[in-house]
Amino acid sequence: MNLLAEHHLQGTSAAFYIPNFISEDEEQYLLRKIEDSPKQKWKTLHNRGEVLQKNILLREDLPAFLNDFPDVLGRLRFLGTFDQSPHKGPNHVILNEYHPGQGIMPHEDGPSYHPVVATISLGSHAIFHYYRYNKDKDSLSVGPESVGRSIDPAPLLSLFLEPRSVVITTGELYTTHLHGIDDVYADTFTGNGFLLLPNGSHSRIVNRHMIQDETVVGIIESGGTVKRTTRYSLTCRDVEKVASGRVAGVIKRT
Ligand SMILES: O=C(O)CCC(=O)C(=O)O
Ligand SMILES: [Fe+2]
């Protein structure tokens, strides 16, 4: 992971943030390809009774636009991100769509993936939170990891994901923590890197010194609001066993 060293997020065991992983031209191209993707492959997910996001599992025959131009998957392999993974590179990509006001509740990605995930943002920023479980007696109980365990509502880490960036999560942030995105229309900052959370508390943006967009840096440091627009994310993983079946089935969330 040497190439990743300069992108390491301080204070984390194993998270990396790379701004401008995708160029602006490449982003425009990918957004066009995504908008052209067959609508019947999209699955709408419901959470808390509301529609939170739509997603599609791009499995097996990964679309050429992820290998040809721009060679997103090759770039991830080159970073060394997936050197320890069974196929030495991602073989599984989920495309998520978030309109303003949509997010994804704190969750774990689970053990069916090698514990490395690379998430590319296109079109809009988002704030990505990592959470931990409360250390209560339940955490000592045997049984499926997340059953009955309460989550500490204060994010352990909060990252500002710029459009065209990639965030890479490995290690215990992957295996024992959760991640999520608040379902808000805009993100409000109160200065000195602090984000105002929906519950009124604050969380500091850990990657604020790595952010490239000067306007955003100004808002994060001095206070203000950044509106969300439609965001697409490409979540790239190595699945140890790819399920057989038809190309590009839809993912089922647990
Ligand atoms: O869209 C994102 O940035 C996160 C998606 C995610 O966590 C997932 O699909 O498991
Ligand atoms: Fe996830």
Side-chain angles (χ1 to χ4, degrees):
M1 295 235 173
N2 281 345
L3 283 172
L4 279 179
E6 64 177 295
H7 304 291
H8 179 234
L9 279 166
Q10 285 188 348
T12 74
S13 54
F16 305 86
Y17 175 77
I18 308 179
N20 294 324
F21 185 70
I22 305 281
S23 73
E24 287 189 23
D25 285 352
E26 291 167 345
E27 180 187 37
Q28 289 310 313
Y29 176 83
L30 288 173
L31 289 171
R32 270 204 313 279
K33 288 288 184 187
I34 288 168
E35 273 148 26
D36 289 348
S37 65
K39 290 285 176 265
Q40 71 273 19
K41 288 185 183 167
W42 287 83
K43 178 180 166 94
T44 301
L45 299 174
H46 295 264
N47 218 339
R48 280 191 251 148
E50 317 155 55
V51 176
L52 286 187
Q53 49 157 224
K54 289 181 183 164
N55 80 12
I56 182 175
L57 172 60
L58 307 172
R59 184 171 61 196
E60 294 166 10
D61 285 351
L62 289 170
F65 68 82
L66 292 177
N67 281 307
D68 295 356
F69 171 83
D71 183 7
V72 173
L73 302 182
R75 249 174 244 178
L76 289 172
R77 275 193 295 273
F78 180 72
L79 282 174
T81 323
F82 289 88
D83 280 359
Q84 311 304 319
S85 83
H87 307 94
K88 308 278 178 252
N91 63 356
H92 179 288
V93 179
I94 295 172
L95 170 60
N96 284 320
E97 176 187 66
Y98 302 85
H99 292 294
Q102 297 180 326
I104 185 165
M105 288 176 76
H107 65 279
E108 286 182 63
D109 287 352
S112 54
Y113 305 106
H114 179 79
V116 175
V117 55
T119 305
I120 295 165
S121 297
L122 301 170
S124 176
H125 81 282
I127 306 286
F128 195 79
H129 300 296
Y130 292 100
Y131 298 91
R132 63 194 146 190
Y133 289 104
N134 281 319
K135 282 201 177 64
D136 47 29
K137 58 180 179 349
D138 289 347
S139 60
L140 297 173
S141 66
V142 286
E145 272 301 291
S146 50
V147 172
R149 298 183 67 186
S150 60
I151 301 168
D152 181 348
L156 177 68
L157 297 165
S158 301
L159 270 67
F160 188 104
L161 305 185
E162 292 173 277
R164 300 182 298 285
S165 70
V166 64
V167 60
I168 296 167
T169 308
T170 69
E172 63 181 28
L173 281 176
Y174 185 100
T175 53
T176 61
H177 290 69
L178 307 99
H179 54 274
I181 297 172
D182 289 329
D183 49 356
V184 296
Y185 288 86
D187 294 289
T188 298
F189 299 89
T190 54
N192 294 320
F194 284 102
L195 170 79
L196 180 63
L197 295 168
N199 69 4
S201 62
H202 291 81
S203 183
R204 206 167 204 182
I205 301 297
V206 286
N207 66 330
R208 65 189 195 282
H209 302 302
M210 298 165 124
I211 293 174
Q212 300 297 300
D213 184 326
E214 290 301 327
T215 309
V216 167
V217 172
I219 291 173
I220 292 177
E221 294 310 325
S222 309
T225 293
V226 189
K227 283 197 177 123
R228 294 207 189 156
T229 57
T230 298
R231 171 175 176 264
Y232 292 93
S233 68
L234 294 168
T235 302
C236 309
R237 306 186 179 94
D238 189 351
V239 184
E240 314 216 353
K241 290 191 202 114
V242 178
S244 59
R246 301 269 298 266
V247 170
V250 278
I251 190 168
K252 284 211 176 71
R253 258 172 210 285
T254 50

